[in-house]
Amino acid sequence: ILMVDEKGKNMKCLTFFLMLPETVKNRSKKNSKKGSSSSNSSSKLPPVCYEIITLKTKKKKKMAADIFPRKKPANTNATAVQQYHQQNLNNNNTIPAPNWQGLYPTIRERNAVMFNNDLMADVHFVVGPPGGTQRLPGHKYVLAVGSSVFHAMFYGELAEDKDEIRIPDVEPAAFLAMLKYIYCDEIDLAADTVLATLYAAKKYIVPHLARACVNFLETSLSAKNACVLLSQSCLFEEPDLTQRCWEVIDAQAELALKSEGFCDIDFQTLESILRRETLNAKEIVVFEAALNWAEVECQRQELTATIENKRKVLGKALYLIRIPTMALDDFANGAAQSGILTLNETNDIFLWYTAAKKPELQFVSKPRKGLVPQRCHRFQSCAYRSNQWRYRGRCDSIQFAVDKRVFIAGFGLYGSSCGSAEYSAKIELKRQGVILGQNLSKYFSDGSSNTFPVWFEYPVQIEPDTFYTASVILDGNELSYFGQEGMTEVQCGKVTVQFQCSSDSTNGTGVQGGQIPELIFYA
């Protein structure tokens, strides 16, 4: 045997003398006809030896897809492949064409053909609540390989040999998403089914799919859905997702409390939000949100939404609202006239505001700490000149990006360099031309080189590694301070902020100098 390498060069020449088993058998038969005289000669036959020689190479073993790269099929085969993929989107379809296996070079692709397919199915699932069920085919071996729960169900000591299994607590779309991951190694998530898919992945212990669901939820997390996701994350025991929800709820508390999703949370989550020390919201907003939740809860419990029933469903959670910390106007015009408080409670709270000797209250009377805003200052010095910095309706703008998710609450701006003055400021925050937040407000500058904060109505969520555009149009005293010796990168606590010039800037502001010296944010 001549052994050669890949380049055709000789490596070794080996000569083997091999006696096949068939040869030994034939020779034994011939010898047996000769009688006893041939026993000595037959004993001299060499033994048959088998030796498996494995030639190891450093080259990585190739898979089927590498050895047989998939070629573009002819029109007939291409049409067949498309038909098979389309069949998988429907329920209970078989593949009538012969040799369909030849269309797919890898075991992964051939396995994917079995997804939602009756071909060779040895179990069926009736998924969904009564009146909304869907019958889905399955293959025990594939399912057992993908989930330890399915393995125990089909091959464990207590396995039951059932042809049909009912799963009323999982939505059909979510169950299909889980099956698609198990069969096809594909993750297909949608905003309206991701929570149900997470539930299915948790129930059947498919951890990688569950992690993908959590990542999807974290990416799509906003003030509108943060309260609902907080409730679900506690139910699914996902601490990372829970922490992310609290970050959004704390920073964008008023938006979260006013969202429709807040009314869908359970009582335990309501209590945890009302107890929250870092909730960054006015107490009157917290109070109104609690009343809205109580009204929806009455509907869930099939109660008339009367004042008495609202108070009943709120229970002791009512006393977690820090009513004594409200502004007096908010209390007098809001909580005091809502009817949810008793006459004695209303009188005691009024005394709490006005009397020197304050009565004891069941309500928490200590204000919430809220969040402390951080300031990212991008200039090393500031200056003023007789001909700068002027404002004539032109835009000062700068682009920035962060390495961690933050919430921009406003900008710090320079003021007049010619004594005290009042400015009107239109601030704006955009991402790829889309306005995320804007506000028109006024601020008073005292003639110093300090910066003066201008706030958005609600903090704006900023995702990492994406550039945003901060802009301001000022109207006021024509001369003001301006920054100089600007930095392209600033470390602010645990957040790194990068700056670059913006094409929207028409008044001279850039990285090296100009306006918008500070970003004010929560992290």
Side-chain angles (χ1 to χ4, degrees), residues 351-405:
L351 288 174
W352 174 269
Y353 282 110
T354 57
K357 185 179 180 181
K358 302 185 183 297
E360 292 185 4
L361 300 174
Q362 288 184 278
F363 295 93
V364 179
S365 57
K366 184 180 178 182
R368 302 179 195 272
K369 293 180 180 179
L371 295 176
V372 179
Q374 299 184 44
R375 294 176 179 246
C376 175
H377 197 90
R378 67 187 189 94
F379 294 125
Q380 299 183 65
S381 64
C382 68
Y384 69 91
R385 294 173 188 162
S386 59
N387 60 345
Q388 290 181 323
W389 199 265
R390 296 180 180 276
Y391 307 101
R392 294 175 181 175
R394 292 191 291 261
C395 179
D396 289 286
S397 183
I398 191 71
Q399 288 192 333
F400 70 94
V402 294
D403 63 342
K404 292 180 177 62
R405 185 181 284 108

Side-chain angles (χ1 to χ4, degrees), residues 285-438:
V285 176
V286 179
F287 177 80
E288 291 172 350
L291 291 188
N292 292 336
W293 179 90
E295 184 173 351
V296 176
E297 181 65 17
C298 286
Q299 297 174 7
R300 284 193 286 263
Q301 297 186 20
E302 298 181 352
L303 299 173
T304 305
T306 61
I307 295 298
E308 292 76 15
N309 286 336
K310 288 181 182 180
R311 179 155 182 145
K312 178 182 177 182
V313 297
L314 281 172
K316 294 183 178 179
L318 177 64
Y319 298 110
L320 298 176
I321 305 171
R322 309 189 183 193
I323 296 177
T325 67
M326 291 181 186
L328 181 57
D329 289 345
D330 289 340
F331 174 72
N333 298 317
Q337 299 186 38
S338 66
I340 202 75
L341 303 176
T342 65
L343 184 58
N344 288 336
E345 288 170 343
T346 304
N347 290 336
D348 286 346
I349 294 174
F350 266 121
L351 288 174
W352 174 269
Y353 282 110
T354 57
K357 185 179 180 181
K358 302 185 183 297
E360 292 185 4
L361 300 174
Q362 288 184 278
F363 295 93
V364 179
S365 57
K366 184 180 178 182
R368 302 179 195 272
K369 293 180 180 179
L371 295 176
V372 179
Q374 299 184 44
R375 294 176 179 246
C376 175
H377 197 90
R378 67 187 189 94
F379 294 125
Q380 299 183 65
S381 64
C382 68
Y384 69 91
R385 294 173 188 162
S386 59
N387 60 345
Q388 290 181 323
W389 199 265
R390 296 180 180 276
Y391 307 101
R392 294 175 181 175
R394 292 191 291 261
C395 179
D396 289 286
S397 183
I398 191 71
Q399 288 192 333
F400 70 94
V402 294
D403 63 342
K404 292 180 177 62
R405 185 181 284 108
V406 299
F407 301 87
I408 295 293
F411 306 145
L413 303 176
Y414 286 121
S416 171
S417 59
C418 303
S420 59
E422 185 178 65
Y423 286 87
S424 175
K426 179 184 178 182
I427 59 173
E428 195 173 73
L429 191 60
K430 295 189 295 186
R431 177 182 178 180
Q432 297 178 351
V434 178
I435 297 176
L436 304 178
Q438 61 182 359

